[in-house]
């Protein structure tokens, strides 16, 4: 893809998200979401491979259906209340439709089926954009309408997402699919806290974006597309392998790493609201996710792959990928737990 095309698509992607996040009118929010969708589709299908074309088609159909549902929900609300303001979504039917549409946009269970397939059909960098930047616009709408959304629906979807993200991820060997199920599980945690404490949702989203960006960038550096590649990655770069282990454990939510902070705060708030059963199920589902993070970190740093040659090192060429992004996101995605009192 030419630099001009890449610039146009990237700027359209950024503009779409900014329009949605800053809009006050439902039609402007919808326009931003459509710009976002149309900009990412050429990025997904640029490989000229049947799997990439399939991924782009699935992404387009899902996002178009979700956008249409958002437009329908806002029209129903305007018909009843005579207002197109985002914060004045008071019609119960419109609320339910909007919740479902945004869940489809994000990839929350049970509308999650497109996310692993699309990520697997994309390149690693495009998968990183879908799993991080593409979550911002729907999350901005969820944050603005959090007072009106249905709490039982979001709690149910959150529990299903957290459990399904853990269960389905256990069976995967491809790193992109593992990251997709990891994303579904994290979005489940965000959904449970949305209507109870929206500022914890923002904190969780920020930390999720930092950790996921770091993990994807590490996978790009190590060129690891499945668990087998992870097992031999230490020969290419031992330090990056150790980094991958720390980020994976942080994603799993182990103290004293950053990933423990949002889980701790969400469980604390759920128990304060007398949602003890929900908190227990969420904590148990975190163990499922932790299993496949541990398996990945174990295979990347603790085990030696069976080698047919006696040498333990690959040829190490000069690194061509720019590592600035990893340098910026790594400290925050691993070492921020002591800052918890400042952030809450």
């Amino acid at each position: 893809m030419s630099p001009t095309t890449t610039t146009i698509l990237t700027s359209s992607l950024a503009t779409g998200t900014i329009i949605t996040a800053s809009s006050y009118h439902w039609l402007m929010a919808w326009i931003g979401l459509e710009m976002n969708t149309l900009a990412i589709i050429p990025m997904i299908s640029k490989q000229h491979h049947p799997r990439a074309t399939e991924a782009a088609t699935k992404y387009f159909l899902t996002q178009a259906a979700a956008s249409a549902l958002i437009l329908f929900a806002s029209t129903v609300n305007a018909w009843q209340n005579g207002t197109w303001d985002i914060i004045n979504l008071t019609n119960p039917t419109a609320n339910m439709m909007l919740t479902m549409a945004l869940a489809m946009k994000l990839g929350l269970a049970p509308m999650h089926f497109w996310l692993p397939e699309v990520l697997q059909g994309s390149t690693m960098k495009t998968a990183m954009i879908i799993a991080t930047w593409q979550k911002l616009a729907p999350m901005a709408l969820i944050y603005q309408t959090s007072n009106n959304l249905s709490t039982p629906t979001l709690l149910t979807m959150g529990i299903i997402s957290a459990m399904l993200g853990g269960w389905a991820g256990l069976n995967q060997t491809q790193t992109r699919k593992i990251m997709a199920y990891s994303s579904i599980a994290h979005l489940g945690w965000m959904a449970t806290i949305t209507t109870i404490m929206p500022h914890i949702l923002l904190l969780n989203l920020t930390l999720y974006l930092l950790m996921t960006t770091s993990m994807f960038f590490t996978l790009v550096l190590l060129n690891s597309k499945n668990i087998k590649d992870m097992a031999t990655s230490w020969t290419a770069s031992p330090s990056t392998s150790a980094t991958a282990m720390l980020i994976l454990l942080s994603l799993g939510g182990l103290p004293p790493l950053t990933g423990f902070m949002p889980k701790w705060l969400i469980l604390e708030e759920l128990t304060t609201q007398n949602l003890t059963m929900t908190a227990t199920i969420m904590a148990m589902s975190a163990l499922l996710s932790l299993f496949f993070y541990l398996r990945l970190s174990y295979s990347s740093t603790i085990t030696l792959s069976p080698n047919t040659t006696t040498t333990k090192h690959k040829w190490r060429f000069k690194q061509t990928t720019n590592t600035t992004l990893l340098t910026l996101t790594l400290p925050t995605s691993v070492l921020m737990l002591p800052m918890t009192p400042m952030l809450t």
Side-chain angles (χ1 to χ4, degrees), residues 157-296:
M157 286 202 294
I159 291 168
I160 296 169
S161 297
M163 291 194 71
L164 195 135
W167 276 119
L170 294 177
N171 202 26
Q172 303 301 326
T173 55
Q174 302 290 324
T175 49
R176 276 167 294 188
K177 279 200 173 178
I178 288 174
M179 291 308 293
Y181 286 112
S182 156
S183 174
I184 292 165
H186 276 91
L187 289 167
W189 281 86
M190 289 180 226
T192 50
I193 203 70
T194 300
T195 51
I196 301 165
M197 251 193 168
H199 76 271
I200 294 184
L201 161 75
L202 283 187
L203 175 66
N204 195 345
L205 178 65
T206 308
L207 296 179
Y208 160 77
L209 294 176
L210 288 168
M211 292 187 290
T212 308
T213 306
S214 302
M215 192 61 231
F216 267 112
F217 212 79
T218 309
L219 293 173
V220 169
L221 288 176
L222 295 173
N223 197 21
S224 299
K225 292 187 173 64
N226 51 42
I227 294 179
K228 187 179 70 179
D229 293 342
M230 291 292 281
T232 56
S233 63
W234 69 274
T235 54
S237 174
S239 55
T240 315
S241 246
T243 301
M245 183 189 75
L246 285 172
I247 301 167
L248 282 164
L249 295 178
S250 187
L251 277 166
L254 283 185
L257 303 169
T258 305
F260 178 63
M261 188 203 301
K263 287 184 169 57
W264 172 27
L265 294 172
I266 289 171
L267 290 176
E268 185 185 18
E269 191 56 38
L270 287 173
T271 46
T272 308
Q273 299 289 337
N274 287 327
L275 295 163
T276 319
M277 196 63 199
T278 307
T280 309
I281 296 167
M282 295 299 286
M284 297 296 279
S285 71
L287 293 175
L288 292 169
S289 300
L290 184 60
F291 178 81
F292 62 76
Y293 292 130
L294 280 172
R295 186 177 61 180
L296 263 182

Side-chain angles (χ1 to χ4, degrees), residues 24-332:
Y24 192 73
H25 193 284
W26 273 115
L27 275 177
M28 284 305 289
W30 176 77
I31 288 165
L33 289 169
E34 286 300 303
M35 277 184 72
N36 220 316
T37 305
L38 293 172
I40 194 83
I41 285 165
M43 290 186 182
I44 300 170
S45 59
K46 71 180 175 187
Q47 293 176 84
H48 306 296
H49 187 277
R51 187 171 280 176
T53 312
E54 184 189 335
T57 310
K58 283 177 180 172
Y59 188 81
F60 172 72
L61 291 173
T62 315
Q63 300 296 315
S67 291
L69 203 53
I70 288 171
L71 204 55
F72 186 48
S74 55
T75 309
V76 167
N77 186 64
W79 187 30
Q80 290 285 323
N81 305 328
T83 176
W84 284 91
D85 296 349
I86 289 176
I87 51 173
N88 292 332
L89 193 78
T90 50
N91 183 275
T93 314
N95 273 336
M96 189 57 72
M97 281 195 290
L98 180 76
T99 309
M100 290 300 165
L102 292 173
M104 197 189 291
K105 279 259 174 209
L106 288 167
L108 269 173
M111 281 81 79
H112 67 282
F113 296 100
W114 62 272
L115 187 60
E117 299 298 323
V118 170
L119 256 63
Q120 185 58 33
S122 316
T123 61
M124 201 65 86
K125 285 179 182 175
T126 311
M128 178 173 77
I129 294 170
I130 296 168
T132 54
W133 185 263
Q134 293 298 85
K135 307 293 181 208
L136 288 174
M139 273 297 178
L141 290 177
I142 284 180
Y143 185 72
Q144 287 181 73
T145 56
S146 59
N147 292 330
N148 301 319
L149 295 176
S150 164
T151 308
T153 311
L154 280 170
L155 280 173
T156 309
M157 286 202 294
I159 291 168
I160 296 169
S161 297
M163 291 194 71
L164 195 135
W167 276 119
L170 294 177
N171 202 26
Q172 303 301 326
T173 55
Q174 302 290 324
T175 49
R176 276 167 294 188
K177 279 200 173 178
I178 288 174
M179 291 308 293
Y181 286 112
S182 156
S183 174
I184 292 165
H186 276 91
L187 289 167
W189 281 86
M190 289 180 226
T192 50
I193 203 70
T194 300
T195 51
I196 301 165
M197 251 193 168
H199 76 271
I200 294 184
L201 161 75
L202 283 187
L203 175 66
N204 195 345
L205 178 65
T206 308
L207 296 179
Y208 160 77
L209 294 176
L210 288 168
M211 292 187 290
T212 308
T213 306
S214 302
M215 192 61 231
F216 267 112
F217 212 79
T218 309
L219 293 173
V220 169
L221 288 176
L222 295 173
N223 197 21
S224 299
K225 292 187 173 64
N226 51 42
I227 294 179
K228 187 179 70 179
D229 293 342
M230 291 292 281
T232 56
S233 63
W234 69 274
T235 54
S237 174
S239 55
T240 315
S241 246
T243 301
M245 183 189 75
L246 285 172
I247 301 167
L248 282 164
L249 295 178
S250 187
L251 277 166
L254 283 185
L257 303 169
T258 305
F260 178 63
M261 188 203 301
K263 287 184 169 57
W264 172 27
L265 294 172
I266 289 171
L267 290 176
E268 185 185 18
E269 191 56 38
L270 287 173
T271 46
T272 308
Q273 299 289 337
N274 287 327
L275 295 163
T276 319
M277 196 63 199
T278 307
T280 309
I281 296 167
M282 295 299 286
M284 297 296 279
S285 71
L287 293 175
L288 292 169
S289 300
L290 184 60
F291 178 81
F292 62 76
Y293 292 130
L294 280 172
R295 186 177 61 180
L296 263 182
S297 54
Y298 190 79
S299 63
S300 64
T301 50
I302 304 171
T303 54
L304 276 177
S305 61
N307 290 321
T308 50
T309 56
T310 51
T311 178
K312 287 187 177 179
H313 299 290
K314 284 183 187 177
W315 281 99
R316 294 189 188 176
F317 298 107
K318 193 173 186 298
Q319 184 64 258
T320 52
T321 315
N322 188 1
T323 57
T324 313
L325 187 62
L326 185 61
T327 311
L328 291 171
T329 55
L330 180 63
T332 46

